[in-house]
Amino acid sequence: MANYFPAQARISPSFAEPEIILTYTQPSGAFSLLQGGVPRVKLSPEDLYVYINSIDLRTESQTAQAAGNFLPSSTLVGSYNQTATYLIRTRSVWDHHDIAAAAHYAVSLPEAQNLASRQAIFSQQRTMLLYGFQPANGEGLLNAANATSTTLPADSYGNVTLRTYDNGDMALYLLSEIIGLKAAMYQTGFANKIRIVSPQRIQLAMQMQMVVQITSYQRDGAGSATVSGTVEEILARTGDEIEWAADDTLIGKGSGGADMVILTIPEIVTPDIQGINTGIFNELQPNMKAVNLMYQDMAAPMRIPTPIPEGITEVQELRCTSGWNIRGQGLTLISMPY
């Protein structure tokens, strides 16, 4: 926790560029895995747990030409789901000497410390979303107990790494995983928002490098479209939307040191079917449509400035949960060797 702005020596006359060279940090796309792309702001600052009720249904009926006397009944089983919340805090300290020293670098020290503290909290949230604060408790999307975990299979030539994989086979593989995701969630025939989060090197390869080859038969987009372009074009025909996002902390997080690729549909679509509807129980309200959850107590970290002798200390804090997958059939974790 230091503000280090050493003295400068300059030649006069000279020109001082007003813009600053900053250490750039990757903006994570991991939060696109959540419904709406952001955590739910529903906690109070002192809530220690989040609880959600769930109901499982098993229907039974009797069919006969004559009325029966002993009739079965549908079974409703309630269960209780919970996850812990955690308080993230960080502190900044400065005095008037620090502010004056930073001004020589054309930096507003209070604003720089504010943004640095917010980034520290947001980075911790990203870690909690993906990996959890206590992974042994199933926290974090990568530790979801009921998610589908798979490894990239060999292509038609026996290749198993991204750099050697047949581009057309890769497009077909991703489409097959998306098909499996939609089928497991009973979303066939409905337009979904599909999200893929991977390391940059995988996303960029699929978007800019892996052009689908022309073979003995014409592949979609062959010779012009990349893997991502082919997948997006085919999905668009059914009204589905796909979004790619990057997070480099997923490098090496797959099985056997492979990169991790996360595939999900963040929100279930409940169709409005007229007449006979074998899924009419889905209309019971209130109905949670999210697949992956994260809760927090406010939209942005709270700032708590406090005067101290000769200066200011400012604490920022935010209470949130780890990433919480509540529908395992809507989350696929792919180990993809690079």
Side-chain angles (χ1 to χ4, degrees):
M1 185 166 52
N3 300 302
Y4 182 60
F5 295 93
Q8 300 174 342
R10 296 183 180 180
I11 300 295
S12 183
S14 62
F15 170 73
E17 172 62 61
E19 296 180 349
I20 307 168
I21 302 173
L22 299 178
T23 300
Y24 200 75
T25 307
Q26 181 190 32
S28 173
F31 293 93
S32 65
L33 300 170
L34 300 173
Q35 182 187 34
V38 293
R40 294 186 165 207
V41 184
K42 291 190 172 185
L43 301 181
S44 75
E46 305 305 322
D47 289 338
L48 300 181
Y49 272 82
V50 175
Y51 297 96
I52 301 179
N53 294 319
S54 62
I55 299 176
D56 183 62
L57 168 67
R58 293 295 182 268
T59 60
E60 294 184 55
S61 63
Q62 184 188 76
T63 304
Q65 286 189 308
N69 293 322
F70 300 98
L71 299 179
S73 61
S74 297
T75 301
L76 297 174
V77 179
S79 59
Y80 208 32
N81 307 278
Q82 67 180 43
T83 192
T85 72
Y86 302 96
L87 184 61
I88 308 172
R89 307 184 83 199
T90 187
R91 169 178 290 157
S92 305
V93 178
W94 66 85
D95 61 18
H96 61 288
H97 297 294
D98 294 325
I99 292 176
H104 291 295
Y105 284 76
V107 171
S108 168
L109 186 60
E111 180 61 12
Q113 286 285 7
N114 170 43
L115 294 176
S117 294
R118 287 166 68 97
Q119 181 164 307
I121 291 175
F122 294 155
S123 295
Q124 181 64 41
Q125 280 190 282
R126 181 266 309 278
T127 300
M128 293 170 65
L129 170 67
L130 294 176
Y131 311 107
F133 187 76
Q134 298 187 73
N137 293 341
E139 296 177 355
L141 299 186
L142 267 64
N143 303 306
N146 297 318
T148 299
S149 295
T150 186
T151 300
L152 181 69
D155 66 9
S156 54
Y157 302 100
N159 301 310
V160 294
T161 66
L162 180 79
R163 288 177 292 182
T164 59
Y165 217 80
D166 179 82
N167 301 341
D169 286 353
M170 178 63 75
L172 295 176
Y173 170 72
L174 290 177
L175 287 169
S176 69
E177 290 297 327
I178 292 171
I179 290 170
L181 198 65
K182 287 175 68 73
M185 297 173 67
Y186 304 125
Q187 296 291 284
T188 303
F190 311 122
N192 296 114
K193 296 180 179 179
I194 301 160
R195 299 293 181 261
I196 297 178
V197 176
S198 69
Q200 287 184 100
R201 62 188 186 181
I202 288 182
Q203 178 184 341
L204 292 174
M206 293 199 184
Q207 290 182 328
M208 303 176 65
Q209 181 181 11
M210 300 177 69
V211 177
V212 176
Q213 309 97 321
I214 296 176
T215 61
S216 56
Y217 66 95
Q218 185 67 37
R219 289 169 164 167
D220 281 296
S224 60
T226 58
V227 168
S228 69
T230 299
V231 172
E232 290 167 11
E233 180 181 343
I234 292 175
L235 291 178
R237 298 172 189 171
T238 56
D240 291 301
E241 171 194 326
I242 186 168
E243 178 181 303
W244 303 70
D247 190 293
D248 276 353
T249 67
L250 294 172
I251 294 176
K253 294 301 191 296
S255 176
D259 289 359
M260 176 58 70
V261 176
I262 305 174
L263 172 64
T264 191
I265 297 176
E267 182 177 354
I268 285 179
V269 174
T270 301
D272 182 15
I273 298 177
Q274 302 299 318
I276 297 176
N277 181 3
T278 57
I280 196 170
F281 190 76
N282 300 337
E283 298 178 7
L284 182 67
Q285 297 297 326
N287 181 11
M288 170 75 75
K289 296 182 179 180
V291 171
N292 308 305
L293 292 173
M294 187 176 197
Y295 290 87
Q296 61 188 42
D297 63 344
M298 55 193 74
M302 177 186 290
R303 300 175 64 179
I304 310 171
T306 305
I308 58 174
E310 301 181 354
I312 292 289
T313 178
E314 181 178 88
V315 172
Q316 292 199 27
E317 66 179 41
L318 186 76
R319 181 173 291 278
C320 68
T321 67
S322 296
W324 190 10
N325 170 249
I326 59 172
R327 299 183 187 274
Q329 64 270 33
L331 179 64
T332 299
L333 306 175
I334 305 172
S335 295
M336 191 171 291
Y338 180 72

